[in-house]
Amino acid sequence: MENYSKARTVEQPSVCPFPDLHPGTPEVHVKDGSKIRNLLRFALSRMEAKSRTSEEEGRPRPEEGGVSVEGQQETPGRPLCKQVVFTASGKGVSKAITCAEIVKRRVKGLHQLTRLLYSTVVEVWEPLEPAAGLDSLTVNRNLPAIWILLSRDPLDCSQPGYQAPGRYDALWAQSISREEGGVSGQRAGHRRKRGGGGGGRGRGPIRQTGRSRESTKGQS
């Protein structure tokens, strides 16, 4: 490809795999350069009641930071949404997963449905020297894409990718207790090793030097 240069790139996003969404459900399109705080501010403003305060004045618009909602704008009188969708492709997949997990911790009792798809990226390459007789090239690349649906209403648990709402406090308590137990066990082991001089690896009898032998003979 040293004789070609990339002319343009066109991304064909995947179609939303959730056909039975509530009307007015926001779709948060997460990009690689999106800021997580802007994404969470918009998503939580549609899911939490306490966001309807005057503190929202002066904050960035929902479209900033890579949030794209189809023709929708945040208004103070809008009722709370029961569902929200996070979608991303390529390098933004991990950031979309992070946003979904944070929203699940803030808003308890959310059901999750995850879909893994592919989005097509079309790249057009033009020759550097048109007089050389080279033709333009069109390259199609498939990027992994993710769609995450968070819903207050119960979803079909038989669908693949379904996650029921769970308690995270018990999970974190177990992990913390395991870590503390492992650290305490390691510390106790180190202490035993340091204080075990009289064990199996004891020191042998003390050798006497020539001067010490002469001193003992003189004393005798």
Side-chain angles (χ1 to χ4, degrees):
M1 301 295 290
E2 62 274 4
N3 297 324
Y4 289 85
S5 63
K6 186 185 297 185
R8 60 183 181 275
T9 302
V10 180
E11 182 177 358
Q12 300 176 357
S14 57
V15 182
C16 179
F18 309 120
D20 300 331
L21 294 177
H22 291 289
T25 299
E27 293 184 3
V28 183
H29 296 265
V30 183
K31 301 179 181 179
D32 184 25
S34 302
K35 295 183 179 180
I36 294 181
R37 62 175 180 269
N38 293 341
L39 301 173
L40 294 177
R41 182 183 298 126
F42 173 74
L44 293 175
S45 67
R46 304 299 303 273
M47 300 291 290
E48 289 183 337
K50 63 182 180 181
S51 62
R52 300 294 186 265
T53 60
S54 59
E55 297 178 356
E56 298 294 334
E57 297 180 359
R59 292 184 177 181
R61 297 183 60 184
E63 289 77 7
E64 295 182 2
V67 181
S68 175
V69 182
E70 299 177 355
Q72 299 178 5
Q73 296 181 358
E74 185 179 355
T75 57
R78 185 187 299 273
L80 295 179
C81 296
K82 295 184 178 181
Q83 294 178 340
V84 64
V85 176
F86 289 93
T87 177
S89 62
K91 297 181 180 180
V93 170
S94 59
K95 188 170 294 185
I97 297 174
T98 302
C99 294
E101 293 297 327
I102 296 176
V103 172
K104 286 165 58 179
R105 296 182 189 279
R106 289 285 301 271
V107 184
K108 303 300 182 181
L110 291 180
H111 299 260
Q112 179 177 343
L113 193 60
T114 307
R115 290 285 187 270
L116 299 178
L117 304 174
Y118 286 95
S119 61
T120 304
V121 176
V122 180
E123 298 179 352
V124 179
W125 295 75
E126 298 291 343
L128 296 177
E129 298 180 1
L134 298 176
D135 298 331
S136 60
L137 299 178
T138 302
V139 180
N140 296 329
R141 296 190 300 110
N142 293 328
L143 291 179
I146 191 171
W147 290 78
I148 302 176
L149 170 61
L150 301 179
S151 175
R152 295 179 184 270
D153 297 337
L155 301 174
D156 187 5
C157 59
S158 62
Q159 296 186 14
Y162 172 78
Q163 296 183 19
R167 294 182 57 185
Y168 300 97
D169 50 357
L171 178 62
W172 286 109
Q174 292 178 2
S175 61
I176 292 174
S177 62
R178 291 177 181 176
E179 292 178 359
E180 291 179 353
V183 172
S184 60
Q186 293 178 359
R187 291 178 180 175
H190 287 297
R191 291 178 181 176
R192 292 174 184 174
K193 187 175 181 180
R194 291 179 181 177
R201 292 187 177 182
R203 295 182 179 178
I206 301 176
R207 298 180 179 179
Q208 297 181 355
T209 60
R211 294 182 180 179
S212 60
R213 292 177 182 176
E214 292 178 358
S215 61
T216 53
K217 290 181 180 179
Q219 293 177 358
S220 61

